[in-house]
Amino acid sequence: MIDKSYLTPRQIVAELDKYIIGQADAKKNVAIALRNRWRRMHVQSEIQKEIVPNNILMIGATGVGKTEIARRLANIADAPFTKVEASKFTEVGYVGRDVESMVRDLVEQSVNLVKHSKKEEVKEKAEQAVEDIILDALIPPVRSVKPNAGFQTDDKEASQMSDSELNEKTRERFRAKIRSGEIDDRKIEISIQASSNGLGMVGGGMDEMSMINLQDMISNVMPKKQKKRKVTIAEAKKLLIEEESAKLIDMDEVKEEAITKAENTGIIFIDEIDKIAAGSGKGGSSGPDVSRQGVQRDLLPIVEGSAVNTKHGVIKTDHILFVAAGAFHVAKPSDLIPELQGRFPIRVELNSLTEDDFYRILKEPKNALTKQYEALIDSEGVSLDFTDEALHELARLAFQINAEVENIGARRLHTVMSKLLNDILFDIPEQIPPNAKVSITKEMVNDRLSGLIEDKDLSEFML
């Protein structure tokens, strides 16, 4: 297994190739950006603090893989990742502070990542503690009784000893049964921490950050209530493992580590950035364009580096990698304010998908749509396979519909695959019984999908 922290740019591209077809230029640039983070953290001199990431602006039509590249990149790096739509900041009731919510989301993701890794470290101890709690509910331990100073016979002492030993042996026997899952269906009564709610009404009229802090303060002050529940041992394991893991984890350490991780390896993906660019050729700057420019100016300090308050601590955004993306059908990248343009120095244009790309998308990726449908149908015991001619025909039809109706990229494949397989999915398991084999041929594709292109009016409403 390759150590994810040390992937070379070529290895990063090879990992992305497993899920995304084409777009070699975009993959190359994001791979370099990711490797540069590792390089910066290994710089020994003081210049390390001065090395800032080269943020990337991806330009390309919808459905060509912009979001997928950023999401897969975060998985490869095991880095905190958050995606935000820039257009949401132009909605009614928009407040400038809301732009900082993307950084707070990133820190939350980072805390979850660190917490998960810490839970793995204490998993063994937590499982031991959970077993002890379940055993106490099943077979309470025998309390050792101290002999009175008076007349305690040897026989009584021996019987007490044997009771204690017998209890211990029984507990160990049941411990083995708990581990093997043999008695998972047996019900027991356990005490678990009651979730504290009812704080939602607090803080009307306050900004988001103050409200979060106030809610946290109240939840910390309020006593933790315990409630008894009768559950199966299998459910008890799930409920108690969370509580016992939390007791073994130092949350202050988690928060510190999470802030450092988010600052140095965090990736924020800003989608639909073209929607906040003022379209060229418009007279004056009135109406929504003012709001759009306002959003750009609010984004600017975060992208160029500032300190943001979160409920886990203050985070500096200087070394967070920002990847922005947009179709730029109406507006152009040059319509963004110059200061924001300057913060995205690497520009990558993603190519529109060709018919051959569609064929490869259906066949090659690990999560290809054909493989998804094969797995879905296999769950009913029916095997599904596609002939190579059928895949070529599907690709041709999807490409043709995109050219004639609306180009929505690879998302068009969802339309054609759904239309093609709906009847089969509906007929399983009554008409098509388990152990049946269904083969999708070129003739079947033509027969079921010919109407999609002929009826243009209908096609226009299909995504």
Side-chain angles (χ1 to χ4, degrees), residues 272-318:
E272 294 188 1
I273 199 160
D274 55 320
K275 302 295 189 295
I276 58 165
S280 56
K282 291 182 182 176
S285 55
S286 59
D289 287 353
V290 176
S291 170
R292 288 176 188 147
Q293 285 211 359
V295 176
Q296 290 184 59
R297 296 201 181 280
D298 286 326
L299 278 172
L300 193 58
I302 292 171
V303 177
E304 67 185 3
S306 61
V308 176
N309 280 317
T310 75
K311 69 175 185 178
H312 301 296
V314 177
I315 177 173
K316 290 182 177 170
T317 64
D318 303 62

Side-chain angles (χ1 to χ4, degrees), residues 66-76 81 83 269:
K66 302 187 296 292
T67 309
E68 194 65 14
I69 286 173
R71 188 179 285 118
R72 295 291 171 189
L73 190 73
N75 287 343
I76 291 166
F81 171 81
K83 174 181 180 279
F269 182 74

Side-chain angles (χ1 to χ4, degrees), residues 108-135:
E108 208 62 51
Q109 284 289 335
S110 189
V111 167
N112 290 339
L113 276 175
V114 174
K115 208 192 286 183
H116 181 72
S117 69
K118 296 278 184 197
K119 275 181 184 174
E120 287 301 310
E121 287 171 24
V122 300
K123 190 178 178 183
E124 211 171 301
K125 278 186 182 175
E127 282 175 350
Q128 180 82 27
V130 168
E131 279 173 14
D132 289 339
I133 293 168
I134 294 170
L135 276 173

Side-chain angles (χ1 to χ4, degrees), residues 164-177:
S164 177
E165 282 177 352
L166 188 66
N167 178 269
E168 195 53 44
K169 278 182 183 173
T170 311
R171 281 170 69 86
E172 286 311 308
R173 204 161 59 243
F174 270 84
R175 189 186 291 277
K177 288 184 178 183

Side-chain angles (χ1 to χ4, degrees), residues 363-381:
K363 192 168 184 176
E364 293 174 21
K366 273 189 171 184
N367 60 339
L369 265 181
T370 48
K371 293 172 187 172
Q372 290 178 32
Y373 276 107
E374 280 166 14
L376 272 176
I377 289 175
D378 187 55
S379 68
E380 301 255 22

